[in-house]
């Protein structure tokens, strides 16, 4: 469960204090996939950790590795997931080829580097998608352009010593200016009043882009509602009504360039329940209606902690997302294939595995165990507790396993 961070890189030896963004297309379906780099964007400063540049775990579906081209030494890596991987497991993704935008930031190299992108399927089988080179002297780059004001909502430390969470508003017209500012502050308070962010406040920064849309509201194609907005979020992603996502990832990062950021949270001006979160990619949340406090910390659980959904009764579009006989990579699920790598050593003595369901109001209801049902299926996948923010609607209710995963990430970014 621990990060086991032991590998410290020398940032100044290989990188300058600037960011290089790689924008590419992820193309294919269940049977095939490829990656096509479209362009590079450079500018700003590098805001991630400078002490630990090698990914301490690989929760994501994609890993980008940066090698010094002369010594062939691995000098940076980052793991993340993407909407494309989910698309491949849908019914439509079994036959139809799609192309989706993706972006990843790396520190700007001093010398020529080799870039290697590797995809992992649900069985963690790797496939090399792309190998290319970037020469800081000859490779073409586009500049990062700052266009919008930035609101500071919580400052725990400098950008290189904290996780930088960036809120991007979508569907707020100029006439919604007061609402935008009010909502950004409100959602920041939801985060900072929730454990473990509250206890680790000095390791968290939250900022917001003060950016406006042409029209108010969010696109709902299933209701024939279309809006021109700042980053063009839309409901019905992957044909699931409440799944609220942002197809235009390149534009999303262009908007984000206005501020330091490690992760992006999109706050959508909509009364319709919805949201979505993908590890080290982005997450979305709606601003009106019931449970927005729960939705933002739940989706940030996916985004920051690599946490899985623990529910198994709601409608989802993915199929066979956790194959039988394979241990899930997410820290809060197990199939008991490799339970030793999960929370086994944290269980109370003599805990029954699997653990029988407990009734609310009994001491057993709050006990760490191995409860069947999670990851969208009722049988064969197990979660740590009877109740958790990743399992059911409940604000500030992360179980010990999920809480520990989030704490480790906040520690990682603060090094």
């Amino acid at each position: 469960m621990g990060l086991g961070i032991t590998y410290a890189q020398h940032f100044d030896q290989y990188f300058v204090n600037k960011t290089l963004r790689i924008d590419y297309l992820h193309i294919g379906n269940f049977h095939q996939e490829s990656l096509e780099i479209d362009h590079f964007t450079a500018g700003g400063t590098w805001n991630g950790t400078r002490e630990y540049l090698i990914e301490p775990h690989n929760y994501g579906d994609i890993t980008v590795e940066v090698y010094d081209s002369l010594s062939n030494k691995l000098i940076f890596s980052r793991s993340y997931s993407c909407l494309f991987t989910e698309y491949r497991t849908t019914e439509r993704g079994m036959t139809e080829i799609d192309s989706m935008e993706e972006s990843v930031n790396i520190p700007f190299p001093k010398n020529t580097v080799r870039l290697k992108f590797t995809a992992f399927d649900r069985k963690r089988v790797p496939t090399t998608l792309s190998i290319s080179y970037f020469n800081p002297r000859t490779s073409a780059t586009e500049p990062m352009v700052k266009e919008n004001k930035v609101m500071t909502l919580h400052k725990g430390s400098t950008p290189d010593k904290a996780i930088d969470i960036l809120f991007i508003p979508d569907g707020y017209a100029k006439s919604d200016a007061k609402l935008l500012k009010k909502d950004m502050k409100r959602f920041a308070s939801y985060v900072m009043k929730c454990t473990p962010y509250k206890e680790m406040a000095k390791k968290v920064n939250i900022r917001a882009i003060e950016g406006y849309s042409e029209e108010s509201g969010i696109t709902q194609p299933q209701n024939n509602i279309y809006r021109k907005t700042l980053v063009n979020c839309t409901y019905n992603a992957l044909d699931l009504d409440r799944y609220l996502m942002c197809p235009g990832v390149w534009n999303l990062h262009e908007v984000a360039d206005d501020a330091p950021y490690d992760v992006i949270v999109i706050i959508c001006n909509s009364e319709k329940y919805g949201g979505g979160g993908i590890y080290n990619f982005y997450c979305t949340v709606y601003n009106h209606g019931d449970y927005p406090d729960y939705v933002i910390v739940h989706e940030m659980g996916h985004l920051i902690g690599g946490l899985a959904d623990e529910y198994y009764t709601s409608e989802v579009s993915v199929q066979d997302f956790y194959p039988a006989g394979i241990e899930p990579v997410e820290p809060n699920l197990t199939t008991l294939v490799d339970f030793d790598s999960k929370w086994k050593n944290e269980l109370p003595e003599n805990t029954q595995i699997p653990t029988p369901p407990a009734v609310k109001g009994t001491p057993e209801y709050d006990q760490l165990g191995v409860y069947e049902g999670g990851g969208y299926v009722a049988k064969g996948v197990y979660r740590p507790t009877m109740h958790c923010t990743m399992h059911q609607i409940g604000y500030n209710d992360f179980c010990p396993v999920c809480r520990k995963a989030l704490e480790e990430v906040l520690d990682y970014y603060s090094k």
Side-chain angles (χ1 to χ4, degrees):
M1 287 289 294
L3 286 178
I5 301 174
T6 58
Y7 193 95
Q9 258 305 351
H10 300 288
F11 183 90
D12 294 333
Q13 181 178 352
Y14 296 104
F15 303 103
V16 297
N17 186 20
K18 192 165 70 170
T19 296
L20 178 68
R21 187 169 68 249
I22 308 167
D23 293 322
Y24 64 90
L25 292 173
H26 203 159
I27 306 167
N29 58 16
F30 177 79
H31 304 285
Q32 58 181 320
E33 63 178 318
S34 62
L35 183 156
E36 294 182 6
I37 294 177
D38 189 86
H39 60 280
F40 298 98
T41 305
T45 58
W46 175 251
N47 303 302
T49 174
R50 300 182 193 180
E51 295 296 324
Y52 300 105
L53 300 176
I54 307 302
E55 179 75 17
H57 47 59
N58 285 297
Y59 290 156
D61 305 316
I62 306 288
T63 298
V64 58
E65 296 173 308
V66 181
Y67 294 85
D68 177 68
S69 63
L70 291 180
S71 65
N72 201 34
K73 182 177 182 179
L74 178 65
I75 57 176
F76 178 86
S77 69
R78 183 171 176 83
S79 173
Y80 55 100
S81 294
C82 56
L83 188 62
F84 179 85
T85 301
E86 296 181 12
Y87 167 76
R88 296 183 77 201
T89 67
T90 65
E91 183 177 350
R92 188 159 54 90
M94 294 294 170
T95 57
E96 296 180 21
I97 291 178
D98 204 346
S99 175
M100 297 187 181
E101 295 179 0
E102 294 173 13
S103 299
V104 62
N105 290 338
I106 67 171
F108 196 91
K110 284 185 173 181
N111 299 303
T112 300
V113 293
R114 178 164 55 91
L115 306 172
K116 180 181 179 182
F117 286 84
T118 303
F120 296 87
D121 64 16
R122 299 310 298 178
K123 296 181 180 180
R124 305 310 292 172
V125 175
T127 300
T128 300
L129 294 183
S130 172
I131 295 178
S132 60
Y133 289 84
F134 178 83
N135 184 327
R137 297 167 187 81
T138 61
S139 297
T141 61
E142 299 177 3
M144 293 183 181
V145 180
K146 296 186 180 297
E147 298 178 347
N148 300 293
K149 294 181 180 179
V150 178
M151 303 167 57
T152 298
L153 303 170
H154 173 81
K155 184 174 181 180
S157 187
T158 56
D160 61 323
K161 294 295 181 182
I163 185 169
D164 291 283
I165 301 168
L166 181 62
F167 291 171
I168 295 183
D170 199 34
Y172 292 82
K174 280 289 182 69
S175 58
D176 300 314
K178 289 184 179 180
L179 176 64
L180 184 153
K181 294 176 182 179
K182 181 179 178 181
D183 279 352
M184 299 303 111
K185 294 176 182 178
R186 176 164 62 97
F187 279 92
S189 72
Y190 292 155
V191 175
M192 296 312 303
K193 290 179 180 179
C194 181
T195 297
Y197 305 101
K198 175 173 60 177
E199 293 80 3
M200 304 178 74
K202 291 184 178 180
K203 300 181 179 182
V204 179
N205 296 328
I206 304 179
R207 301 176 183 83
I209 298 295
E210 192 176 335
Y212 297 97
S213 300
E214 289 186 41
E215 298 177 299
S216 184
I218 297 296
T219 292
Q220 301 178 34
Q222 70 279 31
N223 294 323
N224 203 30
I225 297 172
Y226 296 91
R227 296 288 185 266
K228 296 179 181 179
T229 61
L230 183 66
V231 295
N232 291 312
C233 285
T234 177
Y235 287 90
N236 208 44
L238 303 187
D239 303 317
L240 185 62
D241 183 41
R242 62 180 171 78
Y243 203 15
L244 173 60
M245 299 304 278
C246 176
V249 172
W250 297 348
N251 175 58
L252 174 67
H253 282 266
E254 288 174 4
V255 173
D257 286 342
D258 293 340
Y261 70 97
D262 293 306
V263 293
I264 296 172
V265 177
I266 310 171
I267 299 176
C268 297
N269 184 21
S270 174
E271 296 181 357
K272 181 179 175 64
Y273 181 87
I278 299 178
Y279 176 61
N280 275 344
F281 202 52
Y282 64 80
C283 77
T284 64
V285 59
Y286 77 123
N287 66 334
H288 296 300
D290 298 329
Y291 318 120
D293 54 350
Y294 152 76
V295 174
I296 189 170
V297 294
H298 173 95
E299 301 302 351
M300 285 178 62
H302 296 306
L303 173 67
I304 293 174
L307 301 174
D309 285 319
E310 295 178 8
Y311 55 78
Y312 52 92
T313 56
S314 299
E315 178 190 3
V316 295
S317 57
V318 297
Q319 303 174 13
D320 301 323
F321 207 60
Y322 297 97
I326 302 296
E327 182 68 23
V329 67
E330 295 90 342
N332 60 326
L333 290 182
T334 183
T335 54
L336 300 179
V337 172
D338 184 18
F339 188 37
D340 288 347
S341 67
K342 297 301 175 68
W343 63 95
K344 184 177 180 179
N345 63 353
E346 300 170 34
L347 293 174
E349 190 175 357
N350 299 321
T351 299
Q352 187 175 340
I353 302 175
T355 310
V359 178
K360 188 175 183 179
T362 64
E364 292 78 12
Y365 187 73
D366 295 321
Q367 182 174 303
L368 190 67
V370 188
Y371 300 94
E372 191 166 30
Y376 320 126
V377 294
K379 299 293 182 181
V381 178
Y382 302 86
R383 64 187 191 278
T385 57
M386 286 296 296
H387 61 94
C388 175
T389 292
M390 300 310 296
H391 173 57
Q392 59 194 15
I393 294 175
Y395 170 70
N396 195 18
D397 189 32
F398 286 110
C399 72
V401 172
C402 293
R403 194 159 57 239
K404 182 179 179 181
L406 291 168
E407 289 170 351
E408 288 177 340
V409 175
L410 298 187
D411 281 337
Y412 169 73
Y413 276 104
S414 66
K415 300 298 183 183

